[in-house]
Amino acid sequence: MSELFLSLPDLSALTPEQQRVAEAVAAGPRGEVRGPVRLWLHSPELADRAQKLGEFFRLGTTLPQRLCELAILVTARHYGCDYIWFNHSRVALKQGIAPDVIEAIRTARTPRLDDAADQLVYDFVHSVLRGGKVTPPLRTAAIDMLGERGVVELGALVAHYFSGAIVLGLSSVPLPDGSRTCLD
């Protein structure tokens, strides 16, 4: 018996509501409809709201992009989401995350992080994904370093990318280069 996956909505046969969202996404920073957004189109209102949240994490968060990309990589690795990993490992490199750190996370090893903010974000995200709880000392350190707004945004970033990883896991979406995996 073969596995049944969610279909990718046919971008040439969308409902008017789906088309409105797809056009807005394509006109925005993404430039195209792909990845979890394409799957979210099964629920156009969800797609619209989720893509706006993703846009906030790229353009509106108080967190430095480097820290966002580190958090996204830890989340993608935790869930085994090749699609998010494929896209964000390249962005992480451009944001200054060292190749050896990226490779350690990809291979599920603890990276050596020299920057205190990087270490804090790695520990925070790892803790959240391991059990949903952040210890009081780690929470205090996060608030001291990132502020309450930054901690809320970091937690929401993890939740957003975890949501994307879950929906991508319900389908068989090829990576942009046509392959199926990059985390093995």
Side-chain angles (χ1 to χ4, degrees), residues 52 58 79 81 103 107 121 125 134 146 154 157 161 170:
K52 286 177 182 169
R58 282 188 309 285
Y79 198 76
C81 186
E103 181 61 12
T107 57
V121 166
V125 174
V134 176
L146 304 173
L154 180 58
L157 173 81
Y161 279 88
L170 299 173

Side-chain angles (χ1 to χ4, degrees):
M1 180 176 185
S2 67
E3 288 186 71
L4 181 61
F5 288 109
L6 289 176
S7 63
L8 283 173
D10 180 349
L11 297 177
S12 66
L14 299 175
T15 67
E17 189 179 12
Q18 289 171 319
Q19 187 65 40
R20 178 188 58 77
V21 175
E23 287 172 0
V25 170
R30 284 185 181 86
E32 64 182 317
V33 180
R34 62 186 174 90
V37 175
R38 186 151 173 203
L39 288 163
W40 285 327
L41 278 175
H42 284 292
S43 174
E45 187 173 344
L46 172 64
D48 188 40
R49 292 173 188 237
Q51 72 89 15
K52 286 177 182 169
L53 184 57
E55 188 175 304
F56 167 79
F57 289 123
R58 282 188 309 285
L59 304 171
T61 181
T62 60
L63 299 169
Q65 261 335 106
R66 185 186 87 257
L67 297 181
C68 290
E69 293 304 325
L70 178 61
I72 293 166
L73 291 184
V74 175
T75 303
R77 174 66 266 177
H78 175 81
Y79 198 76
C81 186
D82 293 289
Y83 192 91
I84 292 173
W85 182 271
F86 183 92
N87 288 299
H88 287 275
S89 60
R90 289 158 176 73
V91 178
L93 274 172
K94 290 178 186 172
Q95 289 296 323
I97 298 176
D100 61 311
V101 169
I102 294 170
E103 181 61 12
I105 296 169
R106 187 188 74 78
T107 57
R109 292 179 289 118
T110 302
R112 182 172 179 267
L113 298 164
D114 296 325
D115 183 84
D118 290 354
Q119 186 67 58
L120 177 103
V121 166
Y122 177 84
D123 292 343
F124 184 95
V125 174
H126 194 261
S127 180
V128 166
L129 293 172
R130 285 286 196 191
K133 301 276 185 186
V134 176
T135 65
L138 181 54
R139 188 171 49 245
T140 298
I143 292 169
D144 288 347
M145 184 173 286
L146 304 173
E148 290 181 333
R149 178 177 173 171
V151 172
V152 167
E153 290 177 4
L154 180 58
L157 173 81
V158 173
H160 177 69
Y161 279 88
F162 196 62
S163 171
I166 290 169
V167 78
L168 284 163
L170 299 173
S171 187
S172 181
V173 179
L175 299 178
D177 69 355
S179 66
R180 293 278 177 192
T181 185
C182 60
L183 287 173
D184 292 336

